[in-house]
Amino acid sequence: MYFGKVSKKTNDRVPPNQNVTTTFPVLHHGNIPYYKNLNEWTLRLFGEVKKEVVFTFSELMELPQTEYQNDIHCVTGWSKLDNTWSGISTRAVLDAVVLLEGVEHVIFHAEEGWSANIPFEDFAKETSLLAHSFNGVPLTPEHGYPLRAVIPHLYFWKSAKWLRAIEFSKDDKPGFWEKNGYHNYGNPWKEERFTWD
């Protein structure tokens, strides 16, 4: 993995104790899902909603598409700058569902039982999206094909790969990494890496 030097201009974009890389490291635990037929793939919106919504991939692609450029920061210490993501704004997703009162948390559910939790206000940020493409090409299986969350202001483990469902909840429900010692929120500027930080 190549780590480049951080210039003074770039330094204000890189959180403490992070190193800039030009590569895109692949970090995960468990199997990588491969989809031969996206006609069998769905994304479910459920929980504290008036009515559950289930999208096929083609239906998601009919929603308004957006493109964002951002920096990402991994809890393991690397940062990758100037990434371009294409996908669906989380605000567009919220337009497709009627939430009940009291929703304060969002839980991403991914393949093989993986999950990650974030506060609702972070899900609803203008910069949050569900991405299907990276730098102009569809995501690779290693990086979350066909759909991953991108929550760039938090450590990148919160940007769950291989999404299959989004749960809207009144209660916080820590995900896999949070249950295993990672910080419940994960602000890279405060170095919220682990529960004991």
Side-chain angles (χ1 to χ4, degrees):
M1 185 183 309
Y2 170 75
F3 292 109
K5 292 182 179 178
V6 178
S7 69
K8 287 184 179 179
K9 185 176 181 181
T10 300
N11 195 48
D12 61 357
R13 295 168 57 186
V14 180
N17 294 306
Q18 294 288 113
N19 294 292
V20 174
T21 180
T22 57
T23 64
F24 195 170
V26 176
L27 300 170
H28 66 271
H29 180 78
N31 298 319
I32 295 173
Y34 290 87
Y35 302 94
K36 294 181 180 178
N37 184 357
L38 282 184
N39 290 330
E40 300 173 358
W41 182 94
T42 58
L43 180 72
R44 176 184 172 218
L45 310 181
F46 74 105
E48 297 294 325
V49 297
K50 188 172 183 179
K51 182 180 179 182
E52 289 190 12
V53 175
V54 178
F55 285 106
T56 64
F57 189 75
S58 60
E59 288 170 338
L60 269 180
M61 295 300 285
E62 291 173 5
L63 293 179
Q65 301 292 302
T66 191
E67 187 175 277
Y68 287 132
Q69 187 176 77
N70 57 41
D71 304 332
I72 55 178
H73 311 291
C74 182
V75 69
T76 61
W78 58 263
S79 292
K80 183 170 174 57
L81 309 182
D82 299 321
N83 307 283
T84 301
W85 305 90
S86 302
I88 302 96
S89 165
T90 55
R91 292 183 177 186
V93 173
L94 290 172
D95 288 341
V97 68
V98 177
L99 301 181
L100 301 180
E101 289 187 16
V103 171
E104 294 185 5
H105 304 277
V106 174
I107 298 90
F108 295 121
H109 294 272
E111 291 288 1
E112 300 191 6
W114 290 97
S115 64
N117 59 317
I118 62 173
F120 177 80
E121 64 184 16
D122 293 276
F123 180 82
K125 283 178 75 76
E126 183 178 357
T127 53
S128 298
L129 77 155
L130 308 182
H132 54 69
S133 298
F134 174 75
N135 287 348
V137 296
L139 293 170
T140 62
E142 293 80 6
H143 287 296
Y145 175 86
L147 193 73
R148 75 171 302 154
V150 178
I151 314 296
H153 62 283
L154 300 179
Y155 278 124
F156 206 47
W157 91 79
K158 293 290 189 175
S159 296
K161 299 189 278 190
W162 310 302
L163 280 183
R164 294 306 304 270
I166 299 172
E167 178 183 0
F168 300 95
S169 177
K170 294 178 181 178
D171 303 314
D172 197 7
K173 300 178 183 179
F176 175 85
W177 291 112
E178 294 80 13
K179 290 177 182 176
N180 284 279
Y182 279 45
H183 195 279
N184 198 50
Y185 185 62
N187 182 336
W189 296 97
K190 295 181 178 180
E191 290 199 84
E192 294 176 340
R193 300 177 193 270
F194 307 107
T195 53
W196 53 84
D197 288 343

